[in-house]
Amino acid sequence: AQSVTQPDIHITVSEGASLELRCNYSYGATPYLFWYVQSPGQGLQLLLKYFSGDTLVQGIKGFEAEFKRSQSSFNLRKPSVHWSDAAEYFCAVGGVYNQGGKLIFGQGTELSVKP
Amino acid sequence: NAGVMQNPRHLVRRRGQEARLRCSPMKGHSHVYWYRQLPEEGLKFMVYLQKENIIDESGMPKERFSAEFPKEGPSILRIQQVVRGDSAAYFCASSPLGGSAEAFFGQGTRLTVV
């Protein structure tokens, strides 16, 4: 079955520290992978996406993610966290064009930032 | 170019009433997706529509829920005879193409059933 797992429900890091949010997926074909961020009471904003090519993708706000096919992972990283990064982060996987394109989301990781 | 517009942002309904949630996709986008986010959970796909067609409704509950995307006007997600368990945030996303081309999300409608 297709699924996305974000093992960490809640993570707290100090401002200025590095961050890694984990994402593992189960998908029958080469997936399209996404990371979204959701601030309280808001919609989702796309941070970055992987379709093909270079497995290290750069996104907005200083985020990057690395696709590792052998580990079925797409972990999100940021070298130095800012207080404004506190939010909920969702990893999602989607199919190729002929599968309709619906996204399967993980349960999310809530990030808190300590001053 | 305005983003995906959802209204209302907040909706309160009594049990047994009907809820209508609207989604106006971005200009030029003809593909719309609806997702539901229950408290403390991730988003779950409900339905995928193109203009005047339902493409994939595999995530829609079998009863009380329906969706449409007419030739003119916004996409509508309709929930009849709401129950407390329908309380959730409902998000709409639109895309210029099908597949996993980037979908842009609206800010959601938060439905509370009292």
Side-chain angles (χ1 to χ4, degrees):
Chain A
Q2 301 165 352
S3 64
V4 176
T5 301
Q6 293 180 246
D8 305 304
I9 296 174
H10 191 190
I11 283 183
T12 300
V13 300
S14 298
E15 190 167 17
S18 63
L19 171 70
E20 183 170 30
L21 301 182
R22 295 183 289 165
C23 172
N24 293 96
Y25 66 89
S26 173
Y27 203 76
T30 300
Y32 292 177
L33 294 157
F34 306 80
W35 274 100
Y36 286 87
V37 60
Q38 183 182 32
S39 297
Q42 299 298 311
L44 278 74
Q45 181 181 24
L46 181 68
L47 286 175
L48 47 79
K49 59 184 183 283
Y50 172 77
F51 283 4
S52 65
D54 192 347
T55 57
L56 184 63
V57 293
Q58 302 297 321
I60 62 171
K61 304 184 180 185
F63 286 92
E64 67 177 27
E66 186 172 11
F67 170 55
K68 292 185 177 179
R69 185 188 303 274
S70 62
Q71 299 177 19
S72 298
S73 69
F74 189 56
N75 294 348
L76 181 71
R77 302 193 294 249
K78 186 170 184 177
S80 178
V81 169
H82 188 262
W83 64 266
S84 60
D85 292 325
E88 185 135 28
Y89 291 79
F90 292 96
C91 180
V93 62
V96 297
Y97 278 68
N98 64 358
Q99 293 186 32
K102 67 188 183 190
L103 296 178
I104 300 167
F105 284 85
Q107 288 198 298
T109 297
E110 184 177 355
L111 173 65
S112 298
V113 180
K114 291 190 300 185
Chain B
N1 186 10
V4 178
M5 303 301 292
Q6 289 189 248
N7 66 82
R9 291 289 308 277
H10 299 273
L11 182 61
V12 179
R13 284 288 176 265
R14 296 187 185 278
R15 280 178 293 171
Q17 291 185 318
E18 178 179 286
R20 280 186 178 237
L21 288 63
R22 296 175 190 78
C23 169
S24 296
M26 289 179 69
K27 187 176 180 181
H29 289 193
S30 59
H31 298 254
V32 165
Y33 307 83
W34 284 93
Y35 293 84
R36 177 165 65 174
Q37 184 179 31
L38 293 169
E40 310 296 327
E41 294 188 15
L43 280 76
K44 295 286 194 289
F45 168 80
M46 298 181 76
V47 62
Y48 164 35
L49 309 104
Q50 293 181 30
K51 287 282 187 179
E52 298 185 278
N53 286 303
I54 297 175
I55 306 303
D56 181 351
E57 56 182 348
S58 58
M60 286 280 270
K62 293 289 185 274
E63 297 177 347
R64 303 188 297 107
F65 285 72
S66 62
E68 63 177 11
F69 189 15
K71 187 176 180 181
E72 301 290 338
S75 175
I76 306 288
L77 180 67
R78 184 180 176 209
I79 312 172
Q80 295 178 292
Q81 299 174 340
V82 295
V83 301
R84 289 241 169 92
D86 297 332
S87 296
Y90 292 84
F91 289 94
C92 166
S94 75
S95 170
L97 301 169
S100 289
E102 181 177 345
F104 295 82
F105 281 80
Q107 291 195 301
T109 293
R110 279 150 183 85
L111 172 66
T112 302
V113 179
V114 297

